Amino acid sequence: YGQIRIDPNDEKRIHVISRSIQESTDGGKSWGLGLMYESDYHALWIDPRDSGHVLLGNDHGLAISYDDGKNWYHPDNLPLAQLNAIGVDMDYPYNVYGGTQDNGSWKGPSTKKGSSPIRFEDWEEVGGGDGSYNQVDPTDSRWLYNESQWGNIQRRDQKTGRSKRIRYKGGELSAYIAKDRSLRFNWNSPILISPHNSNVIYHGANILLRSDFRGEQWTEVSPDLTTNDPVKIGEFENANYCTITTIDESPVMKGVFWVGTDDGNVQLTRDGGKTWVKLNDRITDN
């Protein structure tokens, strides 16, 4: 977002790239909607020999026009996507999972029989929205946990194709309202399956959440692990801040967790969440 492109053949024609493209044809005196193909634009190239020939990059990939946006070509043969997070399962051969911006979550094979390549048609959509984390039960790949924006986690039964929303009930409010609420999920909220018991899953908000059985019930197992700074929290109109962005549990010792937040905290617990140590304070002191 936020890039500006000036037509190399007409200095009065200006494009401002954002969720939509704003265009001025009089040097910025007046503005209206410009080029359009899908939404959420990040890149624009204008042919210096022919302004009608443009390449437009957005959340859905690449779009090409030769007539100034009247008609578009979307080259599906190019492997383009905005991947927010990836995961794998333990099948043989294994499958790869990716959460993509504005295009849901997808599953594809790591290899195929014979000499044929992995094609676009080999991928299967397994989640919607702005795709994010995808974690598969390592003992039974039937169970997939994935999410879209703001912590909207679901459990997908890959045998039946059915999905169930399992987000913690304390976090039902949209990120666009109630900025003073205590529970905050990041746009990409981490999911962790315990390496000691695959029925146990963890999910990050500004607190750490634990479910003992596949997301059916949740327990808050930490205090607020962020700075909980009201100034930082209120900085953004349509986004959460002071949130957990990464979680990991020791595969050797049960109950040892590290949690990282987008506002700079690194927290450690050795007793399953009863007590926490902020490691960044120790680093600063030393």
Side-chain angles (χ1 to χ4, degrees):
Y1 284 4
Q3 297 188 48
I4 299 173
R5 293 290 181 268
I6 300 174
D7 190 325
N9 301 300
D10 182 359
E11 64 181 16
K12 292 186 178 296
R13 191 180 185 196
I14 307 168
H15 307 269
V16 177
I17 304 170
S18 186
R19 189 169 185 175
S20 60
I21 295 183
Q22 300 294 314
E23 180 184 80
S24 175
T25 58
D26 53 13
K29 295 177 183 177
S30 60
W31 294 86
L33 286 175
L35 297 166
M36 187 177 299
Y37 180 84
E38 300 292 352
S39 63
D40 293 343
Y41 304 100
H42 305 281
L44 173 63
W45 175 82
I46 305 170
D47 191 334
R49 297 169 298 180
D50 176 10
S51 297
H53 178 207
V54 297
L55 306 182
L56 184 60
N58 57 56
D59 281 0
H60 303 266
L62 176 67
I64 303 171
S65 178
Y66 292 92
D67 56 9
D68 200 25
K70 294 182 179 66
N71 296 282
W72 292 97
Y73 165 58
H74 184 265
D76 285 338
N77 60 307
L78 297 178
L80 301 176
Q82 282 182 259
L83 284 162
N84 290 322
I86 58 173
V88 296
D89 60 27
M90 297 301 290
D91 285 357
Y92 185 81
Y94 68 90
N95 295 287
V96 179
Y97 300 76
T100 63
Q101 184 73 14
D102 247 1
N103 279 283
S105 291
W106 294 79
K107 170 186 178 181
S110 62
T111 188
K112 290 173 64 176
K113 293 181 179 180
S115 58
S116 61
I118 299 170
R119 302 185 187 279
F120 178 82
E121 292 76 16
D122 294 318
W123 287 80
E124 171 193 0
E125 189 170 17
V126 292
D130 290 279
S132 183
Y133 285 88
N134 285 261
Q135 297 293 314
V136 186
D137 188 325
T139 66
D140 186 355
S141 60
R142 174 178 180 174
W143 305 111
L144 163 66
Y145 305 92
N146 65 23
E147 66 175 2
S148 57
Q149 61 271 39
W150 310 126
N152 283 301
I153 186 174
Q154 68 173 1
R155 181 185 67 234
R156 180 179 176 87
D157 184 337
Q158 298 201 87
K159 184 176 181 179
T160 65
R162 294 181 177 178
S163 296
K164 179 180 179 179
R165 189 183 183 198
I166 55 171
R167 181 177 175 177
Y168 177 51
K169 296 302 182 183
E172 292 294 339
L173 293 176
S174 163
Y176 296 91
I177 60 175
K179 295 301 292 183
D180 61 344
R181 71 197 186 285
S182 61
L183 198 66
R184 300 179 300 275
F185 286 94
N186 192 270
W187 180 268
N188 298 313
S189 301
I191 304 167
L192 174 69
I193 300 173
S194 173
H196 305 283
N197 181 349
S198 63
N199 285 329
V200 177
I201 62 172
Y202 295 87
H203 198 203
N206 54 315
I207 59 177
L208 184 61
L209 303 167
R210 171 188 169 118
S211 172
D212 288 330
F213 187 73
R214 299 177 183 163
E216 289 298 323
Q217 299 286 338
W218 292 96
T219 304
E220 300 179 7
V221 293
S222 81
D224 193 323
L225 297 177
T226 75
T227 62
N228 198 28
D229 186 332
V231 175
K232 293 179 179 179
I233 293 171
E235 281 182 349
F236 303 99
E237 291 294 327
N238 64 346
N240 282 336
Y241 195 52
C242 298
T243 60
I244 292 173
T245 54
T246 186
I247 310 165
D248 204 4
E249 182 180 14
S250 168
V252 177
M253 188 175 295
K254 184 179 179 181
V256 177
F257 289 89
W258 291 264
V259 172
T261 71
D262 58 6
D263 54 350
N265 280 352
V266 180
Q267 303 267 17
L268 169 66
T269 181
R270 298 181 183 276
D271 53 15
K274 294 177 182 178
T275 58
W276 293 84
V277 177
K278 191 162 64 170
L279 299 181
N280 42 307
D281 285 349
R282 293 190 171 191
I283 294 170
T284 302
D285 292 342
N286 292 334

